Amino acid sequence: DSGVTQTPKHLITATGQRVTLRCSPRSGDLSVYWYQQSLDQGLQFLIQYYNGEERAKGNILERFSAQQFPDLHSELNLSSLELGDSALYFCASSVDQGSAYNEQFFGPGTRLTVL
Amino acid sequence: EDKVVQSPLSLVVHEGDTVTLNCSYEVTNFRSLLWYKQEKKAPTFLFMLTSSGIEKKSGRLSSILDKKELFSILNITATQTGDSAIYLCAVFLYSGGGADGLTFGKGTHLIIQP
């Protein structure tokens, strides 16, 4: 158990809908990262937040957005869902966002299925 | 575009064999290379490599980085069925304004047969 929690574990929804995935980082971690893992694309970095502020963007679609709240939990919002958005979404947290790598601890993931 | 390529994509060996997994990268602002093991769900951290030529070891697993040739290898000796997993290689980039997250390869699916 990494100490990172994600809810829900599974989510099944229809195309065109909007969903929200939630992540609580490990106690004391200020950075939250979101990743998407699909069979064809592998594990891809989406976005990073540090202490409430967006710090880096990866391959995140415009239909997706995220935020980090004052209590440091983060939400990933996915809208106008398409079949291709079906994937495993991971949240990871680390102590800070300095230039040295700080180990990222991954949550158990949310499996999203779009029908 | 930053790229991390792992080979082979899939590998099936017998228990007790030694395996070598490869990872090559072409990225800007390289800071570190990391290896993760993914079994059922979340990736778990194995090694971080920052300097060339220094081997990291943990039990039967070891890894080394070559920054000149831009690759890393992960060795597993005396494999066991519990080593069956997807092994992910990732590079950590840093653009000055903030960490860029991890750029992952597609992974090597390792299957150890009894």
Side-chain angles (χ1 to χ4, degrees), chain A residues 5 13 18 30 43 49-50 53 61 91 96:
Chain A
T5 60
T13 189
R18 173 189 169 94
L30 298 178
L43 195 55
Y49 277 82
Y50 173 75
E53 291 186 10
L61 299 172
C91 167
D96 63 35

Side-chain angles (χ1 to χ4, degrees), chain B residues 22 80-81:
Chain B
N22 303 294
Q80 302 170 357
T81 54

Side-chain angles (χ1 to χ4, degrees), chain A residues 13-112:
Chain A
T13 189
T15 54
Q17 296 297 306
R18 173 189 169 94
V19 297
T20 297
L21 313 183
R22 185 188 166 106
C23 166
S24 292
R26 292 187 325 152
S27 177
D29 285 358
L30 298 178
S31 270
V32 169
Y33 303 78
W34 285 98
Y35 293 88
Q36 179 194 59
Q37 187 173 38
S38 60
L39 279 174
D40 54 341
Q41 295 292 327
L43 195 55
Q44 289 203 304
F45 168 63
L46 296 178
I47 196 164
Q48 181 214 357
Y49 277 82
Y50 173 75
N51 204 19
E53 291 186 10
E54 181 186 304
R55 280 302 186 193
K57 266 187 173 179
N59 297 316
I60 189 165
L61 299 172
E62 283 191 17
R63 300 183 285 109
F64 296 180
S65 64
Q67 52 186 328
Q68 187 179 28
F69 295 86
D71 67 352
L72 301 177
H73 91 270
S74 177
E75 292 180 356
L76 179 68
N77 300 297
L78 315 176
S79 61
S80 303
L81 285 167
E82 302 174 1
L83 295 177
D85 297 328
S86 295
L88 197 50
Y89 290 84
F90 287 108
C91 167
S93 73
S94 71
V95 170
D96 63 35
Q97 53 92 43
S99 59
Y101 176 76
N102 292 282
E103 182 180 344
Q104 292 182 21
F105 294 86
F106 282 77
T110 293
R111 181 165 294 284
L112 173 67

Side-chain angles (χ1 to χ4, degrees), chain B residues 38-103:
Chain B
Q38 185 175 23
E39 294 175 88
K40 297 263 164 72
K41 278 286 182 93
T44 53
F45 174 78
L46 293 175
F47 296 112
M48 180 181 77
L49 302 153
T50 305
S51 303
S52 269
I54 298 176
E55 186 182 51
K56 291 279 182 94
K57 284 199 77 157
S58 176
R60 295 176 294 101
L61 277 67
S62 64
S63 183
I64 197 159
L65 174 67
D66 185 329
K67 287 171 77 172
K68 186 178 174 189
E69 300 298 329
L70 308 182
F71 79 90
S72 173
I73 59 171
L74 174 68
N75 279 318
I76 308 175
T77 59
T79 51
Q80 302 170 357
T81 54
D83 295 327
S84 296
I86 296 173
Y87 289 84
L88 296 165
C89 171
V91 294
F92 176 64
L93 311 174
Y94 185 71
S95 63
D100 283 352
L102 295 173
T103 299

